Amino acid sequence: MFDWKWEFVWEILPRLVQATGNTLIAAGAGYGIALVLGLVLAIAQRTPYRLLTFVVRELVEFIRSTPLLLQIFFVFYVGPQFGLRLSPWMSGMIAIGLHYSCYLSEVYRGGLDSVPRGQWEAATALNMTVVQKYRRIIIPQAIVPAVPGFGNYLVGIFKDTPMLSVIGVAELIHTANAIGSEHYRFLEPYTLVGLIFLAISLPAAGMIKVFENFVRRRMGMK
Amino acid sequence: MEDMSGYPLELTGENIPMVSFKKVRKSYGSLTVLDDLDLDVNAGEMVSIIGPSGSGKTTVLRMLMTLETINSGVIYVDGKPLTHMPGKGGKLVPASARHLHERRADIGMCFQHFNLFPHMTALENCMEGPVQVLGLSKAEARDRSEELLELVGMIGKKDQHPSRLSGGQQQRVAIARALAMRPKVMLFDEVTSALDPEVIGEVTNVIRKLVSEHNLTMLMVTHQMGFARDISDRVCFFYDGKIEEQGPPADLFGKPQRERTQQFLSAVREAI
Ligand SMILES: Nc1ncnc2c1ncn2[C@@H]1O[C@H](COP(=O)(O)OP(=O)(O)OP(=O)(O)O)[C@@H](O)[C@H]1O
Ligand SMILES: [Mg+2]
């Protein structure tokens, strides 16, 4: 019953390693988009412009309460109707980046809110502009308490990349499926994929903790 | 809309005060915190503000630092309007963000809780404004900041982050940071209230030094009556959003005229 073939493992490993690379690229690019866009969405919700604040808040709420899979389909299949013809790769990274930017905007928001009002006032007393205040004083301090949240979503985005397989992005699951149907063997590819996810996700938590301490030290906060 | 015709676009004449509050009113909802405040502070003058909790002392400084807007009246700094700017028809209109940015450069402030930037060292705290806002080169800003850290006796700790400094040390760095912007007016809001008694002296000594060696205009809110008496040119006693009594410290502390001043001062003395 338990019929594990090592030679098959060695045969498919190079393809899975390559797919791991693709998965990491997709997760990394999506995360990069989410980090930048998330900050923009968070700050947009703090401007004095009521309408902008309202629209952005509703948009974030909307994206957070609909499934990522739907958003991936939307960008890929509905996008062309609006003249947005993107490759599976591009569609996937944009959808996942957009989705996670909404979650990260909440993390940023928490971080930004945690910066005491006195910091803003001290920056005003130095006659800084709004942009200078955010860039030099507020964001650097907001990042510190946000690091754990950032870390959780980094692992989250990594574990969500299999959804990109539905539009044909050659990430891990997609590759394992392809291997399985070519060889009529699914045990080894799926097991390996599971182990690869485990091997990357597990140390991530520890590394995030190390990174958090590093940031705190760099910022002179104990 | 308030009728602004009674307020000049600029103060003229001899001895223009450095700071001038003209009929300034501040309220939060239905609570009037300051009522038609008139207060002039001359260039180089050190004015202390004393009074019971909630009488509006902090609000005076915060309005001047543009941390609070005002409901009516005008504040002038160095003869030019701060809260307003000349508009069409030769009348004052509420200041734009740009006008505030321009006029705010004359004012610096130190806070009760220091508000140093925790992610920067003492030196970086002092250099931040000069580099970012005044556009000084790093080298110029460093020279200026080190000179001021020397003045406040903090040069030995210039590379420490605030979390490694005591309250008194942090407040001295905060004073240096404010001075690095070369303001004409310095505001101190209870800068010793959050400090342990044994380190209050190191901060008051710095302020003493500023009074004797620098020609700054200063407004200081304090609960330390002895200190106010020592160094002020004038003391204002605030009560319920108004200046109840003001005068040279010897008069105000020595022979207060108003009953509320007498009550306040005797209550403060009993507390000691
Ligand atoms: N943001 C605000 N919203 C509502 N009321 C406020 C606000 N800030 C201050 N006040 C009120 O304004 C009044 C004056 O406050 P202010 O801080 O100027 O008093 P203070 O004289 O500095 O008192 P203390 O000695 O306690 O510092 C108080 O009644 C206070 O409750
Ligand atoms: Mg106060």
Side-chain angles (χ1 to χ4, degrees), chain A residues 117-129 132-133 135-138 140-141 217-222, chain B residues 62 65-67 100-101 104-105 107-109 111 115-120 125 128-129 132-133 161 163 177 181:
Chain A
R117 217 170 55 139
Q119 293 291 307
W120 288 93
E121 295 180 347
T124 301
L126 292 182
N127 209 4
M128 291 180 137
T129 62
Q132 287 170 335
K133 287 177 194 172
R135 196 169 59 83
R136 303 284 310 173
I137 309 301
I138 306 303
Q141 294 183 61
R217 253 200 325 280
R218 271 299 299 275
M219 300 277 175
M221 307 170 188
K222 289 154 290 178
Chain B
R62 289 176 59 82
M65 194 64 255
T66 71
L67 296 171
L100 287 176
H101 184 73
R104 191 155 46 209
I107 307 157
M109 180 162 180
F111 302 86
N115 302 351
L116 287 179
F117 305 132
H119 56 302
M120 299 180 188
N125 264 278
E128 185 64 12
Q132 301 293 327
V133 179
H161 281 88
S163 59
R177 176 177 72 175
M181 298 299 284

Side-chain angles (χ1 to χ4, degrees), chain B residues 28 31 33 52-59 190 223:
Chain B
Y28 294 103
L31 175 74
V33 175
S53 180
S55 56
K57 308 181 296 294
T58 295
T59 307
E190 293 196 36
H223 285 300

Side-chain angles (χ1 to χ4, degrees), chain B residues 39 47-51 57 60-61 219-222 235-236 238:
Chain B
L39 172 64
V47 172
S48 290
I49 296 176
I50 62 169
K57 308 181 296 294
V60 172
L61 301 193
L219 265 162
M220 176 175 83
V221 172
T222 184
V235 180
C236 295
F238 270 70

Side-chain angles (χ1 to χ4, degrees), chain B residues 61-78:
Chain B
L61 301 193
R62 289 176 59 82
M63 292 187 310
L64 194 48
M65 194 64 255
T66 71
L67 296 171
E68 303 285 350
T69 55
I70 65 176
N71 296 95
S72 64
V74 178
I75 303 175
Y76 294 85
V77 174
D78 204 10

Side-chain angles (χ1 to χ4, degrees), chain B residues 170-212:
Chain B
Q170 289 187 55
Q171 194 59 283
R172 286 186 281 152
V173 173
I175 293 172
R177 176 177 72 175
L179 291 173
M181 298 299 284
R182 304 249 164 104
K184 293 177 185 162
V185 184
M186 273 288 282
L187 311 176
F188 297 97
D189 187 15
E190 293 196 36
V191 289
T192 56
S193 292
L195 302 180
D196 293 333
E198 66 270 22
V199 299
I200 287 178
E202 61 189 58
V203 172
T204 51
N205 283 338
V206 167
I207 297 176
R208 265 178 227 276
K209 202 145 79 172
L210 291 181
V211 170
S212 61

